[in-house]
Amino acid sequence: MSRRPIGIVVNGVTGRMGYRQHLLRSLLAIREQGGLPAAGGTRIWPEPVLVGRSEARLAAITERHGLTDWTTDLGAALARHDVEIYFDAQVTQQREKAISAAIEAGKHVYTEKPLAEDVAGAMELLRLARAAGIRHGVVQDKLFLPGIRKLKRLIDGGFFGRILSVRGEFGYWVFEGDWQPAQRPSWNYRAADGGGIVMDMFPHWEYVLEQLFAPVRAVNCVTATHIPTRVDEAGQPYEATAHDAAYAIFELDGGIVAQINSSWAVRVHRDELVEFQVDGTDGSAVAGLRECRIQHRATTPKPVWNPDLPATDNFRAQWQPVPDNEEFDNGFKVQWEAFLRHVVDGTPFPWDFTAAARGVQLAELALRSAAEGRRVEVPELAP
Ligand SMILES: NC(=O)c1ccc[n+]([C@@H]2O[C@H](COP(=O)([O-])OP(=O)(O)OC[C@H]3O[C@@H](n4cnc5c(N)ncnc54)[C@H](O)[C@@H]3O)[C@@H](O)[C@H]2O)c1
């Protein structure tokens, strides 16, 4: 079977997402499985060109993984004819200008979310991408998580009847960095560096809500910076100027109400770091990253409110696990495979810059809602 090599600039490859999820778990994993079967019996073979700022760190990564191609010169990488795709996993603030340059160089573009720091920037990239006729996509990894795929299966199978509400709980304790190192980069907690939980997480909530349930028509959001001072990677205290928690209510088409708490200042008393409870007239489900549990109308117990008696029901035991029934590969890899086929074979890829812009829009409107202390409607994005 012949190989179809495809040069891919991976920018931001020294970062958490760029290295682990995109290089190791996706692109190199595709090579380890012998390439990606494509039309005409060929196998798509990713050829990563690592781009970053630090020669030493890039050289260390290439050496560790038997690669050879790296550079600190993005312009030179984009000028290469064997490079067809630009991928961006840099800090969010650097994204817009790098993607503009990639589009200008005629490359197809795949990127981490959020596409840009505001809607105007996202729409401009969409306009440029369309004008250049390139293929474009954004990471929407949560859609490919086993728990969310099982939830989608339940929705598609009509399990819920009429869906009433969604309750999402996301978060965990991110250490302040003083007596234990923080497990997230410090730029996440500085507004001036593009940090903040709303721009980080609401693009995810937008596509999860829109693609599983219905489009979001209005948002009401309260934000907080619960931990005002943190300690950075160099051990220096800094003022945390970005929000570390957001409590939002989303109104969806069809009267569905979704509430999602997002927090880096919460301790986990859940089964997974994110969980969505969906209640419908015929049944309910709780979906996490991997697991999904259901309770059908017919097996719903009848609790009676009586604070004078100790609780005797084991409520968690009253739910049934949804079986896997299929193998779930890494979500980032599954989406990479779809994007590579989109570029090489022209297969459909719905997670494009239009979808990306909707995510940025919802984050921006949630921030407005919080700043102005009011409910904000979500208009259709003008194409
Ligand atoms: N899909 C997801 O679930 C998910 C999860 C976390 C982060 N992200 C997104 O991925 C992106 C990277 O996040 P991360 O957590 O990997 O961050 P990170 O800080 O670990 O990595 C950032 C990368 O950008 C590079 N970088 C930092 N400052 C730069 C600058 N001034 N100029 C050029 N490059 C710079 C770093 O060297 C590093 O390679 C963000 O846009 C974030 O929103 C997505």
Side-chain angles (χ1 to χ4, degrees), residues 12-18 53 89-92 94-95 112-114 139 141-142 185 187 200 204 332:
V13 72
T14 59
R16 284 188 322 149
M17 301 311 294
R53 295 168 302 164
Q90 298 183 96
V91 289
T92 307
Q94 298 298 320
R95 185 155 298 139
E112 261 297 352
K113 44 52 61 179
V139 173
D141 53 292
K142 307 291 176 271
W187 67 266
D200 194 61
H204 290 298
F332 290 89

Side-chain angles (χ1 to χ4, degrees), residues 166-183:
V166 181
R167 257 157 255 259
E169 194 66 43
F170 161 83
Y172 47 92
W173 191 265
V174 176
F175 278 89
E176 299 88 329
D178 47 2
W179 67 292
Q180 293 191 54
Q183 66 272 44

